[in-house]
Amino acid sequence: EGRLRMKIATEADMETRLSVHEAVCAERYATIMARLGTTQKIIVTATFMLIAGMGGLIVTLAMKGGS
């Protein structure tokens, strides 16, 4: 029975564990949201650069085709 005895958590222990869990999850959430914001900015910037580059290529090809 000695090895099989389980520690029964008190209500105070569970409140403490829940509070710690919530704090850790809140920090993880904040970190994830910050990273997503950074990723979104990178994707938007890359998209605009790609569109501008394609526009320049189209103009160049149109000018060469007309001559």
Side-chain angles (χ1 to χ4, degrees), residues 2-60:
R3 286 180 52 202
L4 297 177
R5 197 179 301 176
M6 295 174 53
K7 180 180 177 183
I8 299 175
T10 65
E11 187 175 340
D13 291 337
M14 292 305 292
E15 285 290 330
T16 301
R17 289 180 65 192
L18 182 59
S19 293
V20 169
H21 174 77
E22 288 175 343
V24 169
C25 285
E27 184 62 33
R28 286 179 182 163
Y29 180 81
T31 301
I32 289 168
M33 293 308 290
R35 287 182 179 180
L36 284 175
T38 301
T39 303
Q40 182 180 6
K41 289 176 187 174
I42 291 169
I43 290 171
V44 167
T45 301
T47 301
F48 281 127
M49 291 174 67
L50 181 61
I51 290 170
M54 288 180 359
L57 179 62
I58 290 170
V59 168
T60 301

